[in-house]
Structures are given as C-alpha cells and as structure tokens.
Amino acid sequence: MQNTMKTPDTLRSRLRAAFAALALVAVCLAGCTDTPDAPAGQGRIRAVHAIPEFGTVAFLIEAVTLSQLTYQETGAFEQFDSLNYDFNFDTVDGVTVQTLRLASQTLTLAPDTDYTFFLTGTPDAPVVTLATLPELVEDDSATTVELWFSNLSRVADEVDLYLGEADFDPASTTPLLTVANNTFSELVTIDAGSLQLVATRAGDPADILIRTELVTLTGGDRALLNLFDSQNLDTGEFTMSISTSAATSVALVDVAAPSQVQLVHASASAGSIDLLVDASTTPAIAALSFGQTTVPTTIEEAGAEALTLFVTPAGDPGVQLVEQEVVLIDAGVNFIVLFGDQADETLALARTEVVRQPVFDAARLGIFNTVLDVDRIEFYLLREDDVLEETNPILISPAFDGSRVLTSTVISADNYRIVVTNNADDSILAGPIDLPLQAGDIRQVVLADTLDPNVVEVLVIDPLNP
C-alpha cells in the first residue's frame, strides 16, 4: 500500500530552508571551512492529544504549528529532514487568552523513522512520551497489517486487547496485547480484514470496556489503536480511535453504548409535548413543557439509519405536531431543540452539536437561536463594567444555517449579563439576565420566540445538569 504524505506548504518549506541555513551559518562561525553534510534522510512525526481538560492543543516544530488537536485526536504524519528540532505543545489559557507552553522536547530525527509524541498527564503536570518505529516499508501485495496499541486511560490500569469477528466472545480466544495505562505496546503483525476490537480489564475477558464496530484493516498498512476515557458526549465509559500510517485518527463507535437524546422545548405555542420514536405509541420523552430540558434519554431504536421522531401533544399520540427524520450520533448524546410556531406550522426539530467536555481553567458557552419573529438579533455578553452601547454584539440571523449556531466558545470565568436586542431598531428583546460562569462550567443558551413578538425567551441550560 502506497503511503500518502501531506504536501509541505510554503511555510514548512521555508522552515526547512531556514534550518539548513542556520546550520550552515553555525558551522562557518565555528571556523570550519568544509561544507556541512546534507541531511542523511527524512523522518516523520505526529502527535496524540490525551489530556481531556485541554480543549485544543497545538503541536509545533520550532514555532510552526503542524496540527491543532482536540482531545483523543491523532495528527497525520509530517515529514522533515533528519536534523535537530524543538517540538512543542501549546494551548491557550482560558483566563488570560495567552498561549501557554505545555511541554517541549528536543529531538534529532533519524532517517526513515516514524515518531509519535503522546501528550498525557494532567494540566498541572503534562507528560510527553515518544514512540519510535522504523518507517513502514511499502508492499502493495501484503496480506498482513502491522498494529500497535496504546492505553491512554487514567482509570483502566491494565487492558487486554482482543480482535475477532463480529460479536465474538473474548473468553473464547487469547488477547493479542496487554498494555498498562499511559504506555504503548510493541508492534505486532496480523492478517488483514474486517475485525472487531474489544478491550477488557486485564485477565478478565468478561469485563468489557469497549466493543467497537467492525474495522477494515488493509494489507500493507500500519495502524495505531488508542484507548481513552470517554468525554461527556459519549455514552460509554471508554472510547477508541484508529490512525493509519498516512491519515489522522478516526473515532471508533462503541456498539454496546446507546444513543441518547437530550430534548429542549423551545416553542412557546406548542404546549406540553411528548416525543415518540418510529411506530411506538409509548413516549420516549413525556409531558415536556416550554423552557424545560430533559436529562439524556436512551433511544433503543437508534442506529446508523435515520429515525422518524414524532412530537405530539402530551398524552395524545393521535395528533402529530411534528414528523421528522433525524440521524442520531451513535453512542453519543444528541442535543435536540423543538422550536417554531404551532399556529404557523413551523414547528421543527434541530439537532445541534454541544461540546460537553469541561475546560479546567475556563467556561464553555454555546448559543442556539430559534427566534423566527425577528430578522436579526444582537446577542450581548456583558461583564460588570461593560456598557451596552460600547460593546460589540454577536449578530445572529434566523436563517437555518451556521449563523444560527455558535456551538461552543471558550471564555474566561466571570459574572456576565445577557442582553438581546433587535438589530433593526436596537430595541431590547431580553435581559439583562445574570450569567455567572466558573471554570469548568458549560452553558448552552437557547433563544426562543414567545407569544409576544417583541420579547425573546433566553433559556440557559447546563447540559450536564439540566
């Protein structure tokens, strides 16, 4: 299988040229008259982000960012000359909004070598662990796959990894690898094919931590499997990802974990409602009133196909207010908003992304605008000393597109006030509404029409504690 490398951009090309020029200058200043040797070859580098408290981490070579990684993500390999470099991990401080240097490591790249940097530990004590492997030898005719496994969980001390056909029993076979937490395995060779991955507590095949969907492993490739503690978006306790020799990581679904729905009732005209799934006459969610948000509710029928969701008046399954197909995230929590006007027949359901992973030193805020009575609203987030007329708002259109949603932004912990105005005449539609935010808080603000077109309802939701 042919390895596909990212084409270096102009900045990276200039970086390499600058490194070579600096090396030449250093040799000349030392009094050496010989031309320095050219690099012996090239090595490849990538990084894995495994500290859940950091939302995004930048992986850099010297001062150039190679990848912006979210928790559980593995970057693609980048190729550089076999020279000496400083590799850095940075993040943005949620309070000061300044760049923080988390960790650094100086390394001379050896030719034809793959380097994987694992960023683990805690915010107070980040740890970088380096794994080194010889670069994969291309072989288009190969029928085997090279595979290795890292245990990046903080709670699973030692893990057995099994591979088999769909729904296989781990007790009927022998674990392929056993790995302690914050360590990685040796490289093993297995037959290519579609396999299911199962991780269990070491020595206990009945204690299954995660059972993945079928994964296709291609002959001649090399795959890294990573086990993580789940985020709050996931309904299982653990998650797993896979990354090949030439691509970024792909999250693997835990087939044993359910899909869940967290429903927000944001339609003032709809009254108390039930939510039904497909042909069922038993509500999955019952008697939800305007302004209320449910806890995550398991939807047993969820899968890869779209589900038909029905909204009916509470206790009256024969009257359909909404019939809509919705594709749910497998093994995850789906944040769904009911909005619109029953009289105008504009009632609808919308699934929006909600980042549910706290940031240790800041707060997360998301905004979802369901207001149809106002062409364009202005959303103000004011600190104590801020003056409305001197503050720039967030402009949000009612059109159902990306401008309706601000899925998640990291902001400093503080005491805020929300004010919503009409962009057409600056009239106040809502507020001021106090919004105290502490480090680690997550809030989703849903803006909803009321029965008065000149008033907007502001629903402040803690998705982890509705």
Side-chain angles (χ1 to χ4, degrees):
M1 179 177 180
Q2 185 176 358
N3 290 331
T4 303
M5 303 306 302
K6 280 179 130 180
T7 303
D9 58 22
T10 302
L11 183 57
R12 293 193 177 95
S13 299
R14 291 176 178 173
L15 176 64
R16 296 192 185 99
F19 289 156
L22 288 172
L24 179 59
V25 169
V27 170
C28 292
L29 291 176
C32 178
T33 58
D34 295 334
T35 302
D37 294 334
Q42 292 185 320
R44 305 196 308 169
I45 55 173
R46 65 178 174 183
V48 181
H49 175 9
I51 302 181
E53 292 87 355
F54 291 127
T56 302
V57 167
F59 177 55
L60 304 92
I61 181 170
E62 302 293 342
V64 175
T65 299
L66 300 181
S67 53
Q68 294 276 358
L69 303 173
T70 58
Y71 174 58
Q72 302 181 342
E73 189 176 5
T74 303
F77 275 113
E78 297 278 3
Q79 195 164 22
F80 287 90
D81 290 337
S82 300
L83 299 171
N84 185 268
Y85 306 96
D86 289 330
F87 295 98
N88 304 306
F89 288 92
D90 288 353
T91 192
V92 175
D93 185 281
V95 177
T96 65
V97 200
Q98 299 297 314
T99 298
L100 287 178
R101 178 61 42 88
L102 302 178
S104 297
Q105 184 160 338
T106 300
L107 178 68
T108 300
L109 299 184
D112 305 320
T113 302
D114 286 349
Y115 298 90
T116 301
F117 293 81
F118 294 90
L119 181 66
T120 62
T122 66
D124 293 332
V127 176
V128 175
T129 305
L130 180 63
T132 305
L133 293 172
E135 188 173 344
L136 180 68
V137 177
E138 298 179 8
D139 184 357
D140 294 337
S141 63
T143 59
T144 59
V145 179
E146 294 181 352
L147 183 143
W148 56 305
F149 175 57
S150 75
N151 175 9
L152 302 176
S153 167
R154 293 177 180 172
V155 299
D157 292 335
E158 196 169 31
V159 172
D160 288 338
L161 178 70
Y162 296 83
L163 279 74
E165 297 180 351
D167 302 323
F168 76 99
D169 181 2
S172 66
T173 185
T174 302
L176 178 69
L177 295 165
T178 300
V179 182
N181 66 327
N182 289 327
T183 63
F184 48 85
S185 74
E186 72 275 13
L187 202 63
V188 297
T189 301
I190 62 171
D191 292 332
S194 292
L195 299 168
Q196 192 172 64
L197 311 173
V198 172
T200 73
R201 304 276 181 186
D204 187 358
D207 189 357
I208 295 177
L209 307 180
I210 181 173
R211 182 188 290 271
T212 75
E213 58 198 311
L214 285 174
V215 178
T216 300
L217 300 172
T218 305
D221 207 350
R222 177 184 290 167
L224 167 63
L225 303 173
N226 294 318
L227 178 73
F228 300 92
D229 300 323
S230 69
Q231 302 181 82
N232 287 311
L233 178 64
D234 308 302
T235 54
E237 186 179 357
F238 299 91
T239 61
M240 191 177 287
S241 72
I242 183 170
S243 51
T244 61
S245 59
T248 55
S249 56
V250 175
L252 300 177
V253 173
D254 183 352
V255 296
S259 290
Q260 294 183 330
V261 163
Q262 188 167 26
L263 182 63
V264 180
H265 187 338
S267 172
S269 64
S272 180
I273 59 99
D274 292 342
L275 181 75
L276 292 85
V277 180
D278 287 343
S280 175
T281 57
T282 302
I285 294 170
L288 190 67
S289 299
F290 174 63
Q292 290 185 324
T293 302
T294 67
V295 298
T297 303
T298 296
I299 303 296
E300 298 294 347
E301 300 88 343
E305 302 299 324
L307 293 177
T308 302
L309 301 182
F310 298 92
V311 177
T312 70
D316 191 357
V319 178
Q320 294 179 5
L321 303 178
V322 179
E323 177 183 348
Q324 189 170 330
E325 282 195 349
V326 178
V327 178
L328 301 184
I329 301 170
D330 289 330
V333 180
N334 297 264
F335 195 83
I336 296 180
V337 181
L338 171 69
F339 69 99
D341 191 330
Q342 180 182 354
D344 293 344
E345 298 183 350
T346 56
L347 283 181
L349 296 169
R351 182 176 68 81
T352 180
E353 301 294 332
V354 175
V355 179
R356 303 167 64 92
Q357 189 66 31
V359 180
F360 81 104
D361 64 345
R364 286 192 184 276
L365 178 67
I367 304 170
F368 189 79
N369 176 30
T370 71
V371 174
L372 301 178
D373 288 339
V374 179
D375 288 339
R376 201 178 193 194
I377 67 169
E378 298 173 335
F379 182 91
Y380 290 87
L381 197 62
L382 307 172
R383 289 184 171 89
E384 182 178 359
D385 296 329
D386 290 343
V387 177
L388 181 69
E389 293 76 14
E390 299 174 0
T391 305
N392 292 324
I394 302 169
L395 298 178
I396 307 178
S397 164
F400 192 71
D401 57 21
S403 62
R404 177 180 288 270
V405 183
L406 176 62
T407 57
S408 176
T409 185
V410 175
I411 63 175
S412 59
D414 207 334
N415 292 319
Y416 296 94
R417 291 169 291 132
I418 295 173
V419 176
V420 179
T421 67
N422 189 330
N423 179 244
D425 57 13
D426 293 328
S427 60
I428 293 180
L429 303 172
I433 297 168
D434 290 337
L435 181 65
L437 292 177
Q438 298 180 357
D441 282 349
I442 299 174
R443 296 293 182 267
Q444 189 76 7
V445 174
V446 176
L447 307 177
D449 285 317
T450 67
L451 299 180
D452 183 344
N454 297 311
V455 176
V456 165
E457 186 76 17
V458 178
L459 308 177
V460 179
I461 299 159
D462 179 352
L464 302 185
N465 301 285

